[in-house]
Amino acid sequence: MVDLTRTYDVLVIGGGNAALCAAVTAREAGASVLLLESAPKPFRGGNSRHTRNFRGMHAAPTKVLTGSYLEDEYWDDLKRVTGGNTDEPLARMTIRVSAEMTPWMEACGVRFQPALSGTLSLSRTNAFFLGGGKALLNAYYATAARLGVDILYDAEVTSLHVDDGFVRSAEITYRGFPARVSARCVVAAAGGFQANLDWMRQYWGDAVDNFVIRGTPYAKGKVLKTLLDQGVAAIGDPTQFHAVALDARSPQFDGGISTRLDSVPFSIVVNRDGVRFYDEGEDVWPKRYAIWGRLIAQQPGQIAYSICDSRAFSLFMPSVYPAIKADSIGELAHKMGLDAATVETTVAAYNAAVQPGRFDSSGLDECRTEGLSPPKTHWARRIEEGPFYGYPLRPGITFTYLGVKVNENARVLMADGKPSANLFASGEIMAGNILGRGYLAGFGMTIGTVFGRIAGREAARHARN
Amino acid sequence: MLTDTPLSEAMADARHNMEICNACRYCEGFCAVFPAMQRRREFSTADLDHLASLCHGCQGCFYACQYAPPHPWGINVPQAFAEVRAESYAAHAWPQPMGVVFARNGTLVSLLTAGIVTLVLILAGAMQSSDVMLAPHSGPGAFFAVISYNVMVFTASAAFLYALLAMVLSTASFWRASGGRFRPIHFARALHDAMTLKNLGGGGDGCNYPGEGFSFSRRWLHHAMAYGFLLCFAATAVATIFHHGFGWIAPYAPLSLPVILGTVGGVLMLIGTSGLLWLKILADPAPAARAVLGGEYALLILLATVAKTGLLLLVLRGTGAMGWLLALHLGFVLALFLALPYSKFIHGLFRTAALVRDHGER
């Protein structure tokens, strides 16, 4: 039985990867630890439940990573995707520490796949969890329980009482009942606010009703909000989020990885008005899938439709919902609720603009359009061999960039630049310090693991001094 | 080609599972099922039959699944496939009308056993005077003093040959339905996987049994049961050779080959079946298919009873209890043979066939 009147050394708020890494590390260092997860047990783990891999620096092949991936290459990748919207010292520190993580993860029971044969060939840069993120979380929760971390599910922190940079207590709702918890140190690892549609609505208006939240419905951003309201320094553009294109038929929350659609490069994509709006073949899909969420969010009604023919159908990963299928473009448009004549005109104009060339689904090829606006610069083949297939697409929000500012010890900084006396942060709630824009596969788990470990270590050290 | 016939609930559920799994693929490192799934884009009933038999029910994918209940998608691959397997066994049973026994397998295997054992006891009592049944017998031919050699051999051979024929024809029907080319090398690899239960390895740390933690207990217990069964079978084969080849008549000495094989085999079977029963009782009900549990319990208990009565017979064979014990043991053995093609036992053949097909696809 957990005693909520007791003053713990370390209170960890959150139940995902970053929270568990902090809790286990603090407990290993001898601190008493209470972890509060707002979700019920079956849905524990925040967005980590839907993750799959960890991006790790390594100088030589390891059991779980091929080749080498050194600091400068890793940093270049990060600089490119963020457009410089990062903090170089923090980022380089994260990259260097990532090299030491996998043995500790394995000691906690996390298991990796020996090599990957899947969709994205990332086995050089990314270590894949055997069974995915939920299996990783199961291992961490089992380790935390074995070490004696007190874990409460259905325990949502509604506000923190911050006094001149010092967290005095936390107000929580545990199984629906209010309670107050106090601890010597606090680690905030409660994620972003992408599941808080009212907060998102402040920036996006009613378009949010057409957004799909890919991950946990429990990322309400309450901890983030209470901290920002009490003088904690913010980082990251509050209006921005990472979004991909996914099946419009997906559930509003928690559809995870399965709902994504990889059809775009081998299709044309039209909006609600039946017209194209962006080059579908700009680059290989792993480099482009993350911009399509944004592109669709900017279209009327936040919806788009991918259309291909039977030659293209087997070139992309199977979809979780069956494709809409028809024997003619007009019939397909009709089935998708689009104006058949407009879509037929769009397809005809596209087909007329397709140039002959060598087709190669595995890399940038020579198939492109001429005189079409917007152009399709690769994989452009005429859409002519029925049956024809279509998918409705919506923006799927992965995470928000707004967070709390931290230093290299995971200590939260106040708006005046001074570090908090006893508040630390890890995971998505502070990822914006390093990943201020864009996306790098598996890097969110790296930030969560590295900063979770640092936050746990520092919080335990501070609490026991 | 997908068939147009309406899908059974189990098939529809398995297809729902596979369509979501194939868009996720996080479980590809667990076992043979997921790579086999990834070779397909659509799932016909034949595909689902094949994948279901390929599944060893290790439950690793269930605990790792982000879509497991209470997620609204309710993904539960071990449960969905266990239900499909029960339908496969029924669909390919020989003779075909016997397929219905898989719908109430626990009850029917138990009733068959009770009926056969009762019949054997009645016949033993009717064919032999109670003086002979209750008297201690010793020396060569002691068993045959109770039940005549011809009756014993004829009944056992007929039952065994029938079981073998029914199982081979069932498996052949299963093989044909899902297609595939048979190559000896694929058979050799499949046999290796089956004999080592490679797919109960769960990616290196074993399967999730009885709960979320990883353990090799189920694999070792299954090995004890299966190899124990094979040793008992070997004991019978050696005894047959002794009888016909050398004219050495049972019962054999405690340190003779048939008795050693049978004793070790019986003890292993008893350990394996008891352990598997215990695991089943402890097991998390969430990934289990309730409808098939009865049949699994029935076969495990039948195997355990065969082992127990056999060992008891060995211990008490010099006493007056031998006569009725022998009849009891042979009754259970006969029931086991007759039940084999219509019980969970058939999974071993279907799974090996699925493994052969899987190696052929790789």
Side-chain angles (χ1 to χ4, degrees):
Chain A
M1 203 49 205
V2 174
D3 176 12
L4 288 179
T5 61
R6 163 183 178 193
T7 299
Y8 282 87
D9 288 335
V10 178
L11 167 65
V12 177
I13 307 171
N17 170 59
L20 269 295
C21 288
V24 169
T25 304
R27 185 77 194 108
E28 281 175 343
S32 60
V33 181
L34 173 66
L35 181 141
L36 301 177
E37 160 63 301
S38 66
K41 191 176 176 188
F43 293 116
R44 70 186 182 187
N47 270 357
S48 307
R49 189 157 60 86
H50 293 294
T51 63
R52 191 182 191 183
N53 55 63
F54 171 94
R55 184 172 286 254
M57 182 182 108
H58 56 290
T62 71
K63 256 195 317 187
V64 296
L65 291 159
T66 57
S68 70
Y69 190 48
L70 300 176
E71 181 181 334
D72 285 342
E73 186 190 354
Y74 200 148
W75 164 245
D76 284 346
D77 285 343
L78 182 62
K79 203 165 60 174
R80 182 170 37 77
V81 300
T82 57
N85 204 332
T86 176
D87 175 324
E88 182 164 354
L90 275 189
R92 283 190 178 270
M93 186 272 290
T94 306
I95 290 168
R96 282 193 297 272
V97 176
S98 77
E100 305 155 15
M101 289 296 105
T102 54
W104 179 79
M105 294 165 79
E106 289 187 302
C108 289
V110 174
R111 306 185 306 154
F112 293 94
Q113 283 184 205
L116 181 81
S117 62
T119 46
L120 309 173
S121 294
L122 293 168
S123 61
R124 185 174 69 88
T125 55
N126 290 50
F128 282 70
F129 316 137
L130 183 66
K134 190 173 169 189
L136 167 131
L137 289 163
N138 291 344
Y140 280 139
Y141 273 102
T143 301
R146 180 169 48 76
L147 293 175
V149 173
D150 284 341
I151 298 167
L152 292 183
Y153 300 104
D154 265 323
E156 182 183 41
V157 172
T158 51
S159 69
L160 290 167
H161 178 200
V162 186
D163 187 356
D164 194 22
F166 185 86
V167 182
R168 301 222 168 268
S169 60
E171 301 295 331
I172 75 166
T173 306
Y174 174 48
R175 294 181 175 168
F177 292 95
R180 172 174 292 184
V181 174
S182 51
R184 293 181 184 87
C185 284
V186 173
V187 177
F193 68 93
Q194 65 277 2
N196 188 333
L197 297 183
D198 287 334
W199 191 345
M200 299 274 281
R201 203 180 299 275
Q202 290 174 24
Y203 315 116
W204 287 83
D206 289 340
V208 298
D209 293 325
N210 294 323
F211 293 169
V212 174
I213 311 305
R214 303 175 73 200
T216 177
Y218 296 93
K220 300 284 192 195
K222 285 197 180 168
V223 174
L224 176 61
K225 181 130 183 55
T226 187
L227 291 176
L228 296 181
D229 286 348
Q230 294 182 82
V232 164
I235 191 137
D237 185 341
T239 69
Q240 296 304 300
F241 49 73
H242 175 263
V244 304
L246 47 73
D247 199 306
R249 297 164 289 183
S250 305
Q252 190 177 16
F253 293 102
D254 232 5
I257 191 69
S258 292
T259 56
R260 77 184 172 321
L261 272 173
D262 304 331
S263 61
V264 171
F266 307 115
S267 307
I268 62 165
V269 179
V270 302
N271 63 16
R272 195 176 65 184
D273 303 327
V275 296
R276 292 176 60 247
F277 54 89
Y278 198 83
D279 178 2
E280 300 88 349
E282 192 174 48
D283 205 340
V284 292
W285 191 235
K287 290 188 180 171
R288 279 294 166 273
Y289 76 93
I291 70 163
W292 275 84
R294 166 61 44 86
L295 290 171
I296 296 165
Q298 289 162 343
Q299 293 303 308
Q302 295 74 48
I303 193 155
Y305 301 85
S306 135
I307 296 170
C308 70
D309 70 3
S310 58
R311 285 186 301 177
F313 188 60
S314 60
L315 298 177
F316 49 88
M317 281 268 291
S319 56
V320 71
Y321 297 104
I324 296 163
K325 187 175 171 185
D327 291 325
S328 73
I329 294 294
E331 186 196 345
L332 183 65
H334 178 73
K335 280 187 172 175
M336 296 197 294
L338 298 171
D339 181 62
T342 316
V343 175
E344 281 172 344
T345 308
T346 300
V347 172
Y350 163 78
N351 280 350
V354 168
Q355 301 300 304
R358 178 188 55 86
F359 179 82
D360 176 9
S361 64
S362 63
L364 294 174
D365 71 358
E366 294 165 352
C367 291
R368 57 183 186 83
T369 58
E370 187 70 55
L372 188 69
S373 180
K376 185 175 179 189
T377 50
H378 299 94
W379 310 292
R381 287 194 298 189
R382 295 164 65 90
I383 297 175
E384 58 188 6
E385 284 188 19
F388 301 95
Y389 297 94
Y391 294 100
L393 305 172
R394 288 233 184 254
I397 316 297
T398 318
F399 58 83
T400 45
Y401 291 103
L402 178 67
V404 299
K405 203 163 178 0
V406 297
N407 68 14
E408 72 284 358
N409 285 326
R411 207 177 269 268
V412 170
L413 301 178
M414 305 306 290
D416 60 10
K418 280 195 291 197
S420 159
N422 68 343
L423 176 62
F424 302 82
S426 61
E428 273 179 19
I429 200 171
M430 51 63 63
N433 287 270
I434 301 166
L435 190 77
R437 205 171 88 192
Y439 172 75
L440 198 56
F443 194 52
M445 291 300 276
T446 305
I447 296 173
T449 309
V450 168
F451 273 84
R453 294 271 288 146
I454 293 171
R457 182 190 74 206
E458 294 297 316
R461 176 187 299 170
H462 183 267
R464 313 226 343 127
N465 269 345
Chain B
M1 267 304 284
L2 302 184
T3 55
D4 290 319
T5 50
L7 289 182
S8 69
E9 205 175 305
M11 279 289 181
D13 186 37
R15 182 179 287 171
H16 162 76
N17 273 264
M18 284 297 97
E19 282 172 350
I20 288 171
C21 291
N22 209 18
C24 169
R25 301 188 170 185
Y26 280 14
C27 291
E28 63 183 355
F30 278 129
C31 68
V33 168
F34 296 95
M37 168 194 81
Q38 290 178 205
R39 289 183 213 114
R40 293 159 166 82
R41 279 187 87 88
E42 291 179 320
F43 299 95
S44 66
T45 52
D47 289 325
L48 294 169
D49 251 347
H50 166 61
L51 294 171
S53 264
L54 206 50
C55 168
H56 288 51
C58 82
Q59 312 187 356
C61 63
F62 174 78
Y63 292 105
C65 183
Q66 58 197 314
Y67 305 119
H71 190 282
W73 286 354
I75 296 302
N76 193 338
V77 173
Q79 185 179 74
F81 278 167
E83 284 165 4
V84 168
R85 282 196 297 274
E87 290 189 359
S88 287
Y89 303 153
H92 299 290
W94 185 90
Q96 186 33 228
M98 285 299 287
V100 297
V101 304
F102 285 101
R104 293 255 186 287
N105 202 241
T107 310
L108 292 174
V109 167
S110 307
L111 281 177
L112 172 86
T113 305
I116 297 280
V117 171
T118 309
L119 189 69
V120 168
L121 292 178
I122 289 172
L123 287 176
M127 289 162 73
Q128 202 59 270
S129 75
S130 70
D131 293 347
V132 177
M133 288 303 285
L134 289 170
H137 300 271
S138 60
F143 295 145
F144 309 124
V146 177
I147 297 176
S148 90
Y149 178 79
N150 286 337
V151 168
M152 202 190 286
V153 168
F154 175 79
T155 313
S157 308
F160 175 67
L161 289 175
Y162 173 80
L164 197 64
L165 178 75
M167 288 194 293
V168 166
L169 291 176
S170 279
T171 310
S173 162
F174 170 72
W175 173 266
R176 279 194 307 271
S178 296
R181 275 186 319 172
F182 185 88
R183 292 267 179 81
I185 181 70
H186 302 148
F187 179 70
R189 287 182 186 142
L191 203 59
H192 169 266
D193 291 354
M195 304 279 281
T196 59
L197 294 178
K198 181 176 174 227
N199 285 282
L200 278 185
D205 294 321
C207 46
N208 299 77
Y209 235 87
E212 187 187 296
F214 296 90
S215 154
F216 281 113
S217 57
R218 182 150 160 256
R219 190 195 219 176
W220 287 117
L221 290 167
H222 192 284
H223 278 328
M225 175 183 68
Y227 287 103
F229 181 80
L230 288 177
L231 286 176
C232 290
F233 196 76
T236 312
V238 170
T240 308
I241 294 169
F242 275 16
H243 189 98
H244 292 281
F246 301 95
W248 301 337
I249 309 300
Y252 301 110
L255 289 178
S256 65
L257 193 55
V259 174
I260 291 173
L261 288 172
T263 307
V264 173
V267 169
L268 284 176
M269 263 175 83
L270 201 53
I271 292 170
T273 50
S274 308
L276 288 172
L277 281 165
W278 184 237
L279 275 186
K280 217 170 261 303
I281 289 164
L282 294 182
D284 179 358
R290 281 182 56 184
V292 305
L293 277 178
E296 296 179 352
Y297 276 117
L299 182 65
L300 282 172
I301 291 169
L302 179 52
L303 284 164
T305 311
V306 166
K308 261 183 278 186
T309 51
L311 291 171
L312 207 57
L313 179 62
L314 176 71
V315 173
L316 299 179
R317 66 183 182 178
T319 72
M322 186 272 274
W324 285 110
L325 259 180
L326 179 69
L328 192 67
H329 177 59
L330 292 180
F332 278 112
V333 171
L334 182 63
L336 176 65
F337 278 178
L338 291 176
L340 287 183
Y342 311 113
S343 71
K344 168 81 193 264
F345 190 88
I346 196 73
H347 81 279
L349 281 85
F350 278 38
R351 185 152 300 152
T352 307
L355 285 165
V356 175
R357 186 182 298 121
D358 183 59
H359 278 290
E361 283 179 2
R362 289 185 199 185

